[in-house]
Each structure stands twice: as C-alpha cells, then as structure tokens.
C-alpha cells in the first residue's frame, strides 16, 4: 500500500532543546517509519522574525540539521529540505494571498496570540508587525500543498493554521477547479515540555531550556538551578514531587521514577542527591545523540549530500504541484 505523505516543519531558531525533542522530534522519528516523511527547515519563516539577521538564520539551519540527524531522523525514511530552496512555495504564496482576507488572518487564533505577544514585547501597539509575519499562515498553506502534504502532525495550538490551509485549498478548488488536496492534521500525542523554572513552555527566549547539545557542565549548572518544591528545606522534609521540575525531568529519562516519587514524598531523599541523579540520567540519555552528532559534525560532505537529496525530492513534488496549479489558473503560458 502506498504510504501517505507527512509534511512537518521547524523554524531554525536555535539548537533543539528537550521541549522540541520530547514534544516533537521523537514523534517524527516514529512517524518516519509509517509515512513518506518530509521535514522542512523553514528558513523563510524564520526570516519573518529575523529578516535583519540573516547570518543567525543561516547558522541555525546548519545546527538544526545536525540536531535532527543526531536525534534519529533517517535519510532512508525522511527527506529534510530547506524551504528557500523550493521557489514554488514562494510562488504559491503569492497566488494564495488573493484567497484570504486580512481580517481572516488577524482572526486566526494562533496569529492573534502571537500578535498579542509581540505587542507586549515591543510595546508599540503592533506597529512593528510586518506583512510577511501576518501572511505566514498563507506561506504555510503553500508549504503543505506544494509538497502535497496529506497528514500534518501538530500541537493543539497549531490547529488553526491547518484549518487556514484547508480553507485556502477549498477556495482554490472552488474557483479554479479540483486541483489541491485538503490536508488533515494529526494531533501530536506528546505534550508540551515545561521549562526549568516551571514555565509551561521551554524556550530560548525564556532562558529555561536544556539543549541536546549542552555539555555535562552546562547540564549540571542548569539542573542545580531548577525549580523544586520550595517548602522542602531539609533533606528529610516530605515534599510534593508534582511541583518539582527535577521530578518532572526524571519522568522523561529515568526508568525508576517510582522510587524518586516515593522517596521524595516520604522525606527519604535530599534535593541535591536527587538533582545529581537526574544529571547522570540526562547525560546517559543524551550520549547516543552526542555520538551521532559528532559523527555528522565530522562529516560535513555527508550532511550536505543528505540535504541536497531531500531538497531534490521536495523540489520534484513542488514542480508537479505548480504545474497543476498554473494549468488550473490558466497562467501556463508557453508550456
Ligand atoms: Fe524534587 Fe527530588 Fe527535591 Fe523531591 S527530592 S523536591 S523530587 S528535587
């Protein structure tokens, strides 16, 4: 049976942290066994926020690719490609921009939240919000349809973006005739991973992340400063592991988390020892990742070959799509 196509993407905003890894990437590593998988390095999207810092985006593209390969993305099963190397995506974005109103984009719950965050951050009532930023759901519709993406794995906060794509596809098909496939979303089973400070989200800008590339020293420093049950003062104080981030991460990497929980509740373990144990478990867990990453770092030609191969595959799909789209729109001159 022919495999369905999954399209997923990630903005090159920095190295992968535990939040990306447990929240997203481990899921992709599983899905690549069941679907024809395309992973987009969304550099054009990253430029919507970093248009004045292209060096940063460029550096992050390389770092992200190394992190993905080291996490277990397999070239035999998944194609990693760079968004800007597929010009058909930009072309489709222009065509689709006629099919969605500004009001509809502003009402998109994902965009609404991000605009509110930007207003809070920059305090200028949103005057710094660019046309490119507001339009990124349109470019996302172009990403998905260019590659003929049938299934899109998402977190619940991204469902409105997929709905927006589905609307654009329906509108396109109703005006120009049945051409594009309406994608489905697949709600990611994994949850959002909290930060070291207990914040609901782990993120670079929040300064609460553990990165997969962090050295043992960095991990030690970060875990030692993680939020614990603030009511526990002495080693034999009974505590509540459910409010402790150290316990939270033990649950991710420690097979014997039951002991941690019981001993914590009964005042049988101190926080320093508990943190040291977590540091060891994290280092052990990340060993395989780091070995693989070193291998790819030492073989840049291989990494380039993998990306070129993935991008070629994506390009072939996008060329087929744009041909169909232009035929339907009757702009297939001289072809
Ligand atoms: Fe957290 Fe461990 Fe201290 Fe309990 S003993 S509060 S789980 S660090």
């Amino acid at each position: 049976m022919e495999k369905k196509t999954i399209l997923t993407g990630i903005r090159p905003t920095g190295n992968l942290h535990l939040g990306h890894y447990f929240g997203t990437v481990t899921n992709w590593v599983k899905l690549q066994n069941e679907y024809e998988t395309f992973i987009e390095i969304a550099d054009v999207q990253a430029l919507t926020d970093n248009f004045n810092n292209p060096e940063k985006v460029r550096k992050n593209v390389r770092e992200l690719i190394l992190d993905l390969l080291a996490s277990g993305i397999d070239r035999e099963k998944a194609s990693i490609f760079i968004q800007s190397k597929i010009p058909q995506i930009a072309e489709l974005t222009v065509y689709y921009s006629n099919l969605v109103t500004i009001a509809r984009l502003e009402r998109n719950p994902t965009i609404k939240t991000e605009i509110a965050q930007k207003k809070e951050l920059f305090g200028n009532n949103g005057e710094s919000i660019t046309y490119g930023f507001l339009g990124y759901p349109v470019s996302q519709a172009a990403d998905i349809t260019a590659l003929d993406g049938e299934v899109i794995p998402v977190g619940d906060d991204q469902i409105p973006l997929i709905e927006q794509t589905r609307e654009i596809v329906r509108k396109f098909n109703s005006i120009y005739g049945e051409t594009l496939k309406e994608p489905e979303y697949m709600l990611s089973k994994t949850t959002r991973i909290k930060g070291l400070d207990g914040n609901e989200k782990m993120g670079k800008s929040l300064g609460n992340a553990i990165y997969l590339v962090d050295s043992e020293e960095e991990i030690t420093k970060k875990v030692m400063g993680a939020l614990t049950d603030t009511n526990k003062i002495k080693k034999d104080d009974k505590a509540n592991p459910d409010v402790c981030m150290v316990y939270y991460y033990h649950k991710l990497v420690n097979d014997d988390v039951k002991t941690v929980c019981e001993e914590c509740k009964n005042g049988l373990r101190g926080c320093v020892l508990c943190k040291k144990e977590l540091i060891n478990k994290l280092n052990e867990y990340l060993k395989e990742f780091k070995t693989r990453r070193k291998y790819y770092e030492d073989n840049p030609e291989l990494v380039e070959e993998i990306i070129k191969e993935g991008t070629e595959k994506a390009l072939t799909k996008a060329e087929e799509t744009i041909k169909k789209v232009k035929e339907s729109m009757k702009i297939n001159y001289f072809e």
Side-chain angles (χ1 to χ4, degrees):
M1 212 170 71
E2 212 174 283
K3 285 181 175 176
K4 281 194 171 184
T5 302
I6 269 207
L7 174 75
T8 187
I10 184 162
R11 285 187 195 190
T13 53
N15 284 104
L16 293 179
H17 52 57
L18 293 185
H20 296 121
Y21 184 73
F22 288 107
T24 309
V25 180
T26 48
N27 193 31
W28 294 353
V29 172
K30 277 190 223 134
L31 291 172
Q32 67 180 350
N33 296 315
E34 299 157 40
Y35 294 88
E36 184 181 10
T37 304
F38 286 91
I39 300 175
E40 178 186 89
I41 307 295
D43 61 337
V44 179
Q45 253 189 53
L47 283 166
T48 60
D49 279 331
N50 293 284
F51 57 88
N52 51 358
N53 199 351
E55 292 82 13
K56 181 176 156 200
V57 176
R58 173 107 188 188
K59 179 177 170 282
N60 286 341
V61 166
R62 182 184 171 275
E63 289 297 305
L64 180 56
I65 291 169
L66 288 171
D67 280 355
L68 286 172
L69 292 171
S71 299
I73 297 297
D74 180 350
R75 73 184 292 191
E76 301 294 334
K77 300 174 181 170
S79 306
I80 304 178
F81 69 97
I82 299 177
Q83 187 184 23
S84 61
K85 296 298 284 179
I86 314 292
Q88 292 80 0
I89 293 175
E91 199 175 346
L92 288 173
T93 304
V94 174
Y95 302 151
Y96 296 167
S97 63
N98 293 322
L99 307 179
V100 56
T101 63
I102 291 168
R104 173 65 183 91
L105 286 171
E106 283 172 340
R107 275 201 315 273
N108 182 311
T110 311
I111 295 293
K112 230 172 152 177
T113 310
E114 290 183 22
I115 287 179
Q117 284 165 353
K118 279 181 189 289
K119 282 183 181 171
E120 202 175 310
L121 203 65
F122 301 116
N124 58 4
N125 208 24
E127 276 158 33
S128 61
I129 290 162
T130 61
Y131 164 66
F133 171 78
L134 188 63
Y136 95 74
V138 182
S139 119
Q140 209 163 57
D143 295 334
I144 295 170
T145 52
L147 274 283
D148 224 359
E150 294 170 287
V151 182
I152 318 297
V154 289
D156 50 6
D157 55 334
Q158 292 163 317
I159 293 174
L161 293 173
I162 308 304
E163 287 301 342
Q164 185 99 64
T165 296
R166 288 162 63 92
E167 270 177 45
I168 289 173
V169 167
R170 286 198 293 269
K171 192 146 186 193
F172 187 99
N173 288 346
S174 75
I175 297 171
Y176 303 111
E178 210 57 38
T179 312
L180 302 167
K181 241 182 249 170
E182 220 177 299
E184 300 159 21
Y185 62 78
M186 177 198 282
L187 201 55
S188 171
K189 289 182 199 91
T190 36
T191 47
R192 183 173 284 173
I193 303 298
K194 293 182 187 180
L196 286 155
D197 54 357
N199 192 305
E200 283 304 314
K201 204 177 162 192
M202 182 179 272
K204 190 177 184 182
S205 55
L206 299 164
N208 63 2
I210 296 178
Y211 294 92
L212 304 181
V213 288
D214 275 349
S215 66
E216 295 194 3
E217 294 70 35
E218 282 165 324
I219 289 178
T220 302
K221 200 167 158 226
K222 288 179 180 179
V223 171
M224 282 302 183
L227 179 78
T228 57
D229 181 349
T230 48
N231 291 321
K232 182 171 165 81
I233 313 289
K234 299 192 297 313
K235 186 183 163 194
D236 52 4
D237 283 343
K238 292 180 180 173
N240 176 8
D242 292 332
V243 299
C244 170
M245 296 317 297
V246 176
Y247 176 64
Y248 183 86
Y249 299 129
H250 265 292
K251 286 195 282 186
L252 297 175
V253 293
N254 188 345
D255 293 333
D256 192 14
V257 71
K258 218 170 144 215
T259 304
V260 180
C261 181
E262 288 306 311
E263 289 184 357
C264 173
K265 279 182 177 167
N266 296 308
L268 298 173
R269 67 164 45 216
C271 291
V272 173
L273 174 115
C274 192
K275 286 175 174 176
K276 283 186 180 162
E277 207 177 292
L278 174 63
I279 291 161
N280 289 338
K281 294 281 177 195
L282 278 169
N283 286 332
E284 190 57 38
Y285 190 86
L286 292 173
K287 222 178 220 167
E288 201 184 332
F289 169 88
K290 287 184 177 167
T291 307
R292 273 203 292 243
R293 199 179 198 280
K294 171 96 179 52
Y295 169 74
Y296 286 114
E297 278 170 17
D298 292 345
N299 290 283
E301 313 78 28
L302 173 64
V303 176
E304 196 174 312
E305 190 187 303
I306 294 172
I307 297 308
K308 277 189 178 162
E309 183 183 84
T311 303
E312 284 293 321
K313 262 180 104 176
L315 202 54
T316 305
K317 283 225 169 207
E319 277 166 355
E320 285 166 18
T321 304
I322 204 79
K323 191 166 183 289
K324 283 193 291 178
V325 162
K326 288 170 98 169
E327 269 168 24
S328 298
M329 293 179 74
K330 308 205 183 310
I331 51 173
N332 55 336
Y333 310 108
F334 320 121
E335 282 172 11

